[in-house]
Amino acid sequence: MRSFAGRDILSLKDFERNEFFRVFEIAEKLEPLARDRRNSDLLRHKTLVTAFYQPSTRTRLAHEAAMIRLGGQVTGFADAKMTRAGDFYQESIKDTVKMLEFYGDVIVMRHFQQGAPHEAAKWASVPIINGGDGWGEHPTQILTDFYTVWREKGRLDGLKWLAVGDMRMRTMHSLAYGLTQFDCPITFVSPPDMSLSDEFKAEISQYSLDFREADHVEQAIADADVILVEPVVQPDYTKSRDERSGDVGMTPANYKITRELLQTKAKSDAILLHSLPRMDEIPADVDITRWSRYWQEAFNGVVMRMALIALVLGAME
Ligand code: CP
C-alpha cells in the first residue's frame, strides 16, 4: 500500500480499496480520544492551516477540532475577503500557498473553483486536503460517511445505497468514485436538471460502478441499506458566497425523506446519512428515529479528520 505520509487528499478517485480500510483502522484507533473528549500530544509540534474561500461550519471546524485533539496548533482564514486573495489583488492560489506552506505543516482548503486544491497541491511543499472544491469533490466528507457505515454496519461490501439530491454536488462525485472500490449497488434520485452528467456516468461506468437512476425515492427506498441525502434546494457552489434572497422554495416529495416514508417503506435497519446543512429534505422529526445517523456522522467527522491529518503528517502509518 502507498504511504499516506506527505500525500495530498484531493479526490476519492485516487483511493484504492485497501487505503479506505487503512484510514478506517486509524480512525477507530484514534476514536477514543474524541469520545472521551481528551487531547493527546501526537502532533504537538505540527500546525494545520485552514484556507477557506467558501463558508463552512463542519469541514473547517472538524479539521481544527481534530488537530487540537491531536495536540497540534491551528491557524488560517475562514473568509478570503480578509486576505489578499479576496481584495484588490485577487492573489493567486500559487502565491497564496507559497506563503501558507511556511505557516504550517498541512493545509486544508475549501474553494469555489473546481480544481483549486489541486492547483495548490502543485505548488505547496506540504500536504493539501481538499475541503470541497466548487462542484468538484468533497473527499473528507464521504470518507466520514463511509467510516460511519463501516462502524454502524461492520462492512461496506454487499450494502445497497440510495443517494438522493443534487447529483452535481461535490459529495455525490466523491461518493460515486469511492463506491467503485466496493460491492455496493447504488440508485441515484435527483431532479432531471440536477442529474448525473453523461460525462460523469461514462466515467463511473468505466470504473464498474453498479448504478441506476430513479425519479422518486419511493421507487428505491425499500431496498436501501444506506440512504444518503443532500439538498436539492441549495446555493451555487461556484460562488464564494451565495446569500439567500426571497423564497427559495420547498423540496418536492420525490427527494424528501419523511418519518412516514421511513416507517412504511424503508428497511428496519437502514441508516440515513446527511452531510448537512439541510433544508427541508429531512424534516426535524426524523432526527430521533432509529434510522438517522447524521449526528453520529458529525462526531465521526472529527475522528476521520484526526486519522487523515495523522496519516498525511506521518504520525501514524
Ligand atoms: N458537510 C459540510 O461540508 O458542511 P460545511 O459546509 O458546514 O463544511
Side-chain angles (χ1 to χ4, degrees):
M1 190 192 314
R2 293 176 296 173
S3 170
F4 278 95
R7 192 160 140 191
D8 304 306
I9 308 291
L10 300 174
S11 165
L12 289 193
K13 202 157 65 164
D14 299 338
F15 258 69
E16 294 169 12
R17 181 182 163 85
N18 57 357
E19 293 172 337
F20 283 98
F21 291 118
R22 186 66 190 137
V23 174
F24 299 162
E25 284 162 13
I26 298 296
E28 192 177 32
K29 256 189 205 152
L30 295 173
E31 192 177 308
L33 286 171
R35 197 170 44 238
D36 300 343
R37 297 180 178 276
R38 280 188 291 119
N39 296 349
S40 74
D41 62 359
L42 188 69
L43 297 180
R44 188 160 39 117
H45 301 297
K46 300 292 182 187
T47 300
L48 169 76
V49 181
T50 50
F52 275 62
Y53 294 76
Q54 250 186 348
S56 166
T57 299
R58 282 145 285 270
T59 309
R60 183 173 65 84
L61 294 173
H63 278 92
E64 293 189 358
M67 192 60 173
I68 291 164
R69 283 274 176 250
L70 297 175
Q73 308 294 314
V74 175
T75 187
F77 57 87
D79 182 352
K81 277 203 162 45
M82 303 311 291
T83 75
R84 295 308 200 175
D87 82 344
F88 177 87
Y89 288 97
Q90 299 283 306
E91 194 165 26
S92 68
I93 297 283
K94 176 184 175 183
D95 287 8
T96 303
V97 298
K98 292 306 286 177
M99 301 296 114
L100 300 185
E101 66 178 346
F102 300 117
Y103 305 158
D105 308 293
V106 52
I107 300 168
V108 56
M109 175 179 284
R110 168 168 289 187
H111 206 288
F112 50 91
Q113 283 171 358
Q114 188 167 341
H118 305 66
E119 169 72 5
K122 266 183 11 200
W123 303 109
S125 59
V126 299
I128 301 287
I129 298 176
N130 181 358
D133 61 319
W135 294 114
E137 278 204 60
H138 197 349
T140 69
Q141 176 60 52
I142 292 300
L143 283 167
T144 298
D145 293 328
F146 283 10
Y147 181 63
T148 304
V149 173
W150 186 72
R151 293 289 278 145
E152 295 285 323
K153 295 282 194 186
R155 66 194 169 109
L156 269 83
D157 286 320
L159 298 176
K160 292 195 171 97
W161 285 63
L162 164 62
V164 187
D166 184 342
M167 297 306 151
R168 300 168 307 167
M169 279 285 287
R170 48 201 182 197
T171 42
M172 294 299 184
H173 297 146
S174 291
L175 172 66
Y177 286 138
L179 286 184
T180 63
Q181 299 301 306
F182 301 97
D183 170 25
C184 290
I186 182 164
T187 302
F188 295 107
V189 176
S190 67
D193 58 335
M194 297 180 184
S195 60
L196 294 169
S197 70
D198 289 340
E199 191 186 6
F200 188 71
K201 281 193 275 193
E203 189 182 2
I204 56 177
S205 297
Q206 274 184 351
Y207 287 103
S208 309
L209 182 68
D210 177 1
F211 73 94
R212 69 182 188 96
E213 293 170 283
D215 300 325
H216 199 301
V217 287
E218 287 189 357
Q219 295 164 357
I221 197 166
D223 280 338
D225 300 297
V226 182
I227 305 161
L228 183 143
V229 184
E230 291 283 5
V232 296
V233 178
Q234 62 173 349
D236 179 350
Y237 278 83
T238 63
K239 291 183 177 170
S240 59
R241 190 175 184 86
D242 198 0
E243 301 282 347
R244 188 188 292 198
S245 58
D247 182 15
V248 292
M250 306 285 278
T251 303
N254 301 44
Y255 319 113
K256 213 166 162 171
I257 304 293
T258 62
R259 179 183 263 211
E260 190 200 353
L261 183 68
L262 290 164
Q263 281 168 346
T264 56
K265 296 253 164 60
K267 280 188 181 176
S268 177
D269 63 348
I271 61 173
L272 177 61
L273 305 174
H274 193 308
S275 66
L276 302 170
R278 64 177 152 180
M279 296 294 281
D280 63 334
E281 62 279 5
I282 298 182
D285 67 357
V286 173
D287 296 358
I288 55 154
T289 66
R290 68 168 171 279
W291 292 276
S292 91
R293 293 295 189 287
Y294 28 94
W295 308 135
Q296 191 59 38
E297 269 181 280
F299 170 75
N300 288 338
V302 177
V303 175
M304 175 50 61
R305 274 68 176 226
M306 288 167 72
L308 290 173
I309 293 168
L311 280 163
V312 301
L313 288 178
M316 307 282 281
E317 269 293 348

